[in-house]
Amino acid sequence: MKILRVFPASLTAAAITGWVGGAAAWAITSGWRDSSALLSSYDRIDQYVALTMGACIGACVLVGRARHRREPMPPAFGAGLLLGGVAALMGATYGLLWHRSESLPGFVIQRIATWALLAAFAATALSMYSRTLHLRSSGESLALGALGGAIAGVIFSLPGPADVWLPLAMTWCGGAIGLAAVGPAMWRAPVVVQLQPPRGRRHSLWSLHECAIESGWSMKWAEARVGCVNDTVYVYPPPAGAILDGYPLYRALPLTRTGMLAVGLTRLRVTLRRSS
């Protein structure tokens, strides 16, 4: 758990939920045996796989993030299906529109580019399901998604049976999309607040309660409130007071470093990050 003090735990959770989404997509697509006109060509099969991947990965990633933020999960599930599915389908379709090379190296390059576009579009679309949008963080989601998708394309293009490499490529792509969709907003937020588990216990990925707070927003945690105004983080204790790094706190205080806030039996780790 020490590494979670350096990187928000939500990043690990997003990569794992994305991996689960990729595995679910592989299970669905591998069981498809329809040879009708719906999937009459390799391009149609690729589009079907991309749509399924985007929808499954998007639903898993956004539901997991909603759970960690204690936000309603049904809207996140629907948004993940729609945003992830449509964006992945658009990315794959755009890649398939390129002229298909007859040489093996050209075909492999196109295949890798298609995976990269699929992941980049899906990660960027999922990152936009947020209160605030930042061009720089969206650009990072696009770049990270493209990198992860390109690696998945390389895995799928390795010599050998496709049944071996396809599940590895899809699950890798899912983890990369999850990390790219959630990561930039987490590491660029001025403050990340995580509810600490009771002493002697650890949070699971499902019970994790962590949220990034952007400038202009605040959130109530166990009768206390943590907010950010003009990139300055403030801690607002309840009337009965709180304990900040072992010292009593009875009034609003700007936070200048990462600290541990205790309100009764509840402990919050408030992590400051460089805003950009």
Side-chain angles (χ1 to χ4, degrees), residues 103-161:
S103 67
L104 180 59
F107 176 78
V108 170
I109 291 174
Q110 185 195 36
R111 177 65 60 181
I112 294 173
T114 300
W115 279 84
L117 288 170
L118 180 160
F121 278 41
T124 305
L126 295 175
S127 72
M128 293 180 178
Y129 186 70
S130 179
R131 291 172 176 171
T132 57
L133 296 176
H134 298 288
L135 182 61
R136 188 168 183 179
S137 60
S138 295
E140 289 181 349
S141 294
L142 181 72
L144 288 173
L147 177 61
I151 295 175
V154 171
I155 294 173
F156 181 60
S157 302
L158 291 174

Side-chain angles (χ1 to χ4, degrees), residues 1-9 11-12 194 269 273:
M1 296 295 288
K2 290 183 178 180
I3 191 172
L4 300 185
R5 298 182 180 183
V6 179
F7 299 102
L11 299 188
T12 304
Q194 182 183 13
R269 183 175 181 82
R273 300 190 174 278

Side-chain angles (χ1 to χ4, degrees), residues 3-4 7-19 68 175 178-179 182 205 208 210:
I3 191 172
L4 300 185
F7 299 102
S10 295
L11 299 188
T12 304
I16 292 176
T17 53
W19 185 94
H68 301 154
L179 183 64
V182 175
L205 292 176
L208 176 67
E210 182 176 74

Side-chain angles (χ1 to χ4, degrees), residues 16-247:
I16 292 176
T17 53
W19 185 94
V20 171
W26 173 77
I28 293 172
T29 55
S30 64
W32 185 270
R33 295 294 183 265
D34 186 6
S35 58
S36 65
L38 182 62
L39 301 177
S40 58
S41 67
Y42 286 115
D43 285 355
R44 293 291 179 267
I45 294 174
D46 287 344
Q47 289 174 321
Y48 163 68
V49 172
L51 175 64
T52 306
M53 282 181 59
C56 291
I57 294 168
C60 288
V61 170
L62 291 192
V63 165
R65 189 174 70 170
R67 170 68 179 179
H68 301 154
R69 294 178 174 181
R70 297 305 189 265
E71 295 175 346
M73 288 186 286
F77 178 79
L81 286 177
L82 182 62
L83 290 174
V86 172
L89 177 60
M90 290 177 59
T93 301
Y94 185 75
L96 293 172
L97 288 176
W98 295 356
H99 175 68
R100 193 179 297 277
S101 175
E102 296 181 358
S103 67
L104 180 59
F107 176 78
V108 170
I109 291 174
Q110 185 195 36
R111 177 65 60 181
I112 294 173
T114 300
W115 279 84
L117 288 170
L118 180 160
F121 278 41
T124 305
L126 295 175
S127 72
M128 293 180 178
Y129 186 70
S130 179
R131 291 172 176 171
T132 57
L133 296 176
H134 298 288
L135 182 61
R136 188 168 183 179
S137 60
S138 295
E140 289 181 349
S141 294
L142 181 72
L144 288 173
L147 177 61
I151 295 175
V154 171
I155 294 173
F156 181 60
S157 302
L158 291 174
D163 290 343
V164 173
W165 300 121
L166 183 58
L168 295 178
M170 293 178 73
T171 51
W172 171 275
C173 191
I177 290 174
L179 183 64
V182 175
M186 292 295 294
W187 62 59
R188 290 203 172 276
V191 57
V192 175
V193 181
Q194 182 183 13
L195 179 66
Q196 298 293 291
R199 297 186 184 278
R201 298 183 183 179
R202 292 184 177 182
H203 275 316
S204 67
L205 292 176
W206 186 246
S207 65
L208 176 67
H209 194 178
E210 182 176 74
C211 185
I213 301 176
E214 296 284 351
S215 184
W217 293 90
S218 65
M219 182 164 287
K220 188 175 182 180
W221 302 71
E223 304 304 322
R225 187 175 291 273
V226 179
C228 184
V229 181
N230 296 326
D231 292 333
T232 300
V233 178
Y234 290 89
V235 177
Y236 304 90
I243 303 296
L244 180 62
D245 289 336
Y247 296 93

